[in-house]
Amino acid sequence: MTTVEQKTSIISDTKTKLVAKLQESGWGEVLRLFLNSSDFESVIQKLYDEVKMDRRFTPGLKHVFRAFEQCPFSKTKVVMIGQDPYFTPGVADGIAFSCGLTGKAQPSLKYMFNAIGSHEQDPDLTRWANQGILLLNSALTVQMNKPGTHYDIWKDFLIFVIDQIRSKKDDVLFVLLGKQAETFREYIESPILGAPVYQHQIISVSHPASAAYQKAREWNGGHIFNDINEWLKSKNLGGISW
């Protein structure tokens, strides 16, 4: 097998494995058009090239779609978007803000827990995802120790995810944390030609990492947890047990 054939085979196998991970939760069908497109092959190609150039990234491929695996499409009622996955090796677990691999909350998550009113919470946020919160970052991967490096790789995919949610579900709350997440506002607000006009809400606050960077006593976006539950209850969607 030639080098080109090996590369094509690796990319094809990777794509097959990633798509398979999305079937049980319903996201495989929802995202089918993108997953079968050359755009998705381009995403995998770019990640493959990163590895070949010895630019390691996180989380590992087996965790990249974990947010979708743990938050079924049918249950999704909140989409929370942050910035980068944790870029320290071995920390990001595929669910934004979650620290399930280490069992130790990172500074951003500590500020979130403090805002909720509990210092002793399980840093694995699978429980939030299982309750219908799709916890995404503005890129699903990041080069280790180099924040902001994979935004362009994942932008089209995330726009597609947003469009599918907006066109197929009513009453979804989008929570944008930080300036990078705010760049997706235009895609949430813009009309989709030929799609139903569903009602969605946006809450926008600073990213907790900004409070960590400034060594602030509190994160000024901490009210979002009450705001999320108030909005959900107003839509008879039930609250989140944080």
Side-chain angles (χ1 to χ4, degrees):
M1 184 181 291
T2 67
T3 301
V4 173
E5 289 174 331
Q6 288 177 331
K7 180 178 179 180
T8 300
S9 177
I10 290 171
I11 291 174
S12 178
D13 289 347
T14 301
K15 176 180 175 180
T16 299
K17 290 176 182 178
L18 288 175
V19 171
K21 286 178 173 290
L22 296 174
Q23 298 311 308
E24 186 175 347
S25 64
W27 285 101
E29 179 59 29
V30 173
L31 303 178
R32 178 173 52 83
L33 288 178
F34 191 95
L35 298 174
N36 289 327
S37 72
S38 59
D39 289 337
F40 188 51
E41 288 185 4
S42 178
V43 170
I44 299 172
Q45 171 77 62
K46 290 174 182 176
L47 294 177
Y48 174 87
D49 290 343
E50 290 283 290
V51 173
K52 294 300 288 184
M53 290 185 285
D54 201 29
R55 295 201 292 248
R56 298 174 61 205
F57 61 83
T58 187
L61 283 174
K62 67 179 180 180
H63 290 129
V64 164
F65 283 149
R66 230 182 123 240
F68 298 94
E69 294 174 60
Q70 296 299 326
C71 180
F73 179 75
S74 62
K75 293 181 64 175
T76 301
K77 51 190 178 183
V78 177
V79 180
M80 186 177 289
I81 305 177
Q83 42 190 39
D84 288 291
Y86 297 122
F87 50 80
T88 303
V91 178
D93 65 10
I95 297 176
F97 301 104
S98 180
C99 302
L101 296 181
T102 64
K104 181 179 179 181
Q106 290 289 298
S108 291
L109 186 56
K110 288 180 180 179
Y111 275 101
M112 296 171 82
F113 284 164
N114 288 345
I116 293 169
S118 173
H119 300 275
E120 301 295 336
Q121 287 211 32
D122 184 353
D124 183 347
L125 300 187
T126 300
R127 65 185 181 282
W128 291 7
N130 292 164
Q131 293 178 77
I133 304 182
L134 183 63
L135 289 150
L136 299 176
N137 283 300
S138 295
L140 301 193
T141 56
V142 63
Q143 190 176 332
M144 288 185 181
N145 300 313
K146 291 190 176 181
T149 45
H150 286 191
Y151 290 145
D152 289 343
I153 292 177
W154 289 101
K155 182 177 180 180
D156 288 346
F157 173 76
L158 289 170
I159 292 172
F160 189 85
V161 170
I162 289 170
D163 283 349
Q164 291 304 297
I165 293 171
R166 292 170 58 222
S167 63
K168 291 179 167 61
K169 296 183 75 74
D170 200 3
D171 288 334
V172 174
L173 176 61
F174 289 86
V175 182
L176 308 179
L177 281 72
K179 292 181 180 179
Q180 186 60 40
E182 187 68 25
T183 64
F184 290 99
R185 177 182 287 272
E186 63 176 298
Y187 304 106
I188 299 169
E189 294 180 332
S190 62
I192 302 176
L193 186 64
V197 181
Y198 288 136
Q199 299 299 312
H200 304 302
Q201 180 69 32
I202 299 175
I203 294 177
S204 183
V205 298
S206 67
H207 194 283
S210 62
Y213 178 77
Q214 297 167 9
K215 297 183 180 180
R217 181 177 179 180
E218 295 179 345
W219 169 45
N220 62 12
H223 54 82
I224 65 165
F225 301 104
N226 286 331
D227 291 347
I228 289 170
N229 274 345
E230 287 180 7
W231 187 87
L232 290 174
K233 291 174 181 177
S234 75
K235 300 296 182 178
N236 296 315
L237 295 172
I240 301 297
S241 176
W242 304 108

